[in-house]
Amino acid sequence: MSQQATDLTHRLIPSPAGRIHLVEQGTGPLVLLVHGFPETWYSWRHQLPVLAAAGYRAVAIDVRGYGRSSRPAEVDAYRMPELVADSAAVVHALGEQSAVIVGHDWGATIAANSALLRPEVFRAVGLLSVPYTPRGGPRPSEVFARLRSAADEEFYVSYFQQPGRAEGEIEPDVRGWLAGFYAALSADTMSAPGAGPDPHFVSRGGTLRDRFPVGALPGWLSEHDLDVYAGEFERTGLTGALNRYRNLDRDWADLADFDGAAISQPSLFLGGALDASTTWLADAIAAFPVTLPGLVSSHLLEGCGHWIQQERAALTGRLLVEWLAGLPV
């Protein structure tokens, strides 16, 4: 086992979810790292030692519903204010009053809303892959229901929103499904031979897996890495993770008082130039001068897909450290 691995400290701490599992490395100002779907704390394995070496207390959590954190049974336990409460609870349970929060994918949305709802706790926010889009507009389920391809295929978010439907596709072969999903959104495999049509849509009567590339794993994902992810989801199932998608309308109602709200804390955005999250949400990125007036640094990484802190691990670590070094203490 490497020295870096042995330096990691695993903890279970109380939170509104019941418990949150986290992995910690280093001492100094607290940096809270929040993963997305379908991942765990392990997605930050490359950045934990880099942040620790730079003089930070780096803490990567398992979001409620994932890994060794609690998995409440109620679907509405995964609404955004509950996840924000978990973020704040972690900071206080670690004996800190404030922290920088950094998130990827759904974790970016959790990080943004943590900064928005609890500015006294989160003094800066880093967003990876998914740009900040303020609450507003029609009810989300209505928006996603209208997102269909020319062939009238269903958008993946609508597919995930129906309890049990995606689980029925994924859980008979968790490892194979994860391998395909990771590959479908990775720069080096998203257009590989055998790749199907756009993996963000589902054909009528089909599954999302029908669109995944067949063959080699993406370069950032070793067989061991895949075993780690698959082992967690084979143990926990996918319902807790998928319940995030099933609360979008609840979030829309819960956050009504923050309609159009900007995040004023110092912020960072990192995205992959080949990631649909950045191409589809290009207008949100263009609106950053209004929505993220404290933006310090923004980078679109050429040739990079969705899994940015794993596809471009060293560069992500360097950009994070550079941004953190410039923040007021």
Side-chain angles (χ1 to χ4, degrees):
M1 183 177 294
S2 70
Q3 181 62 43
Q4 289 182 348
T6 59
D7 288 342
L8 299 176
T9 299
H10 290 253
R11 299 178 189 266
L12 293 173
I13 63 171
S15 83
R19 70 173 185 272
I20 291 292
H21 169 245
L22 60 83
V23 179
E24 177 179 1
Q25 189 169 8
T27 59
L30 177 60
V31 180
L32 186 64
L33 304 169
V34 187
H35 67 81
F37 175 89
E39 300 172 286
T40 66
W41 75 268
Y42 189 73
S43 70
W44 299 104
R45 62 195 177 279
H46 302 297
Q47 286 74 43
L48 284 165
V50 172
L51 295 175
Y56 297 96
R57 185 183 188 186
V59 172
I61 66 170
D62 283 338
V63 173
R64 69 166 67 190
Y66 291 82
R68 293 170 58 192
S69 292
S70 291
R71 299 187 301 280
E74 302 81 6
V75 174
D76 67 359
Y78 297 85
R79 62 210 303 169
M80 186 57 66
E82 298 291 336
L83 299 171
V84 170
D86 287 341
S87 299
V90 168
V91 174
H92 294 144
L94 292 173
E96 304 287 350
Q97 295 302 309
S98 67
V100 175
I101 187 167
V102 179
H104 170 256
D105 183 76
W106 266 122
T109 306
I110 295 169
N113 282 283
S114 295
L116 185 66
L117 273 62
R118 299 298 302 272
E120 79 284 3
V121 176
F122 298 103
R123 61 186 181 90
V125 58
L127 309 176
L128 275 60
S129 296
V130 175
Y132 174 56
T133 304
R135 186 264 189 210
R139 191 176 296 274
S141 60
E142 299 171 5
V143 175
F144 293 124
R146 294 198 295 265
L147 283 174
R148 295 178 178 271
S149 70
D152 199 34
E153 298 162 325
E154 185 178 13
F155 192 51
Y156 81 101
V157 174
S158 298
Y159 179 71
F160 283 172
Q161 284 180 324
Q162 299 180 30
R165 190 176 174 199
E167 289 94 326
E169 172 188 345
I170 302 168
E171 291 183 358
D173 177 19
V174 170
R175 192 179 192 278
W177 192 91
L178 290 175
F181 190 73
Y182 296 146
L185 305 184
S186 296
D188 63 339
T189 47
M190 61 173 58
S191 299
D198 190 336
H200 297 92
F201 292 89
V202 180
S203 301
R204 189 178 299 276
T207 66
L208 203 61
R209 186 172 184 162
D210 297 338
R211 280 126 186 284
F212 294 167
V214 177
L217 296 180
W220 60 266
L221 185 71
S222 70
E223 294 286 351
H224 170 73
D225 295 333
L226 181 57
D227 286 342
V228 171
Y229 283 126
E232 289 293 83
F233 287 109
E234 286 166 354
R235 180 175 58 81
T236 66
L238 272 292
T239 296
L242 288 163
N243 278 344
R244 176 82 289 273
Y245 294 90
R246 296 162 186 165
N247 278 280
L248 294 177
D249 284 352
R250 293 185 181 93
D251 295 345
W252 183 82
D254 288 339
L255 300 173
D257 289 345
F258 295 89
D259 194 82
I263 295 173
S264 59
Q265 293 97 313
S267 57
L268 163 79
F269 177 71
L270 303 179
L274 300 179
D275 184 4
S277 297
T278 57
T279 57
W280 288 352
L281 295 174
D283 288 347
I285 295 172
F288 281 168
V290 174
T291 61
L292 292 178
L295 185 68
V296 174
S297 182
S298 180
H299 303 268
L300 279 181
L301 307 188
E302 293 298 325
C304 184
H306 184 66
W307 316 104
I308 188 167
Q309 76 269 37
Q310 297 174 94
E311 290 189 54
R312 297 291 179 83
L315 180 56
T316 298
R318 178 171 64 81
L319 292 172
L320 283 173
V321 168
E322 289 176 357
W323 171 65
L324 289 166
L327 296 178
V329 177

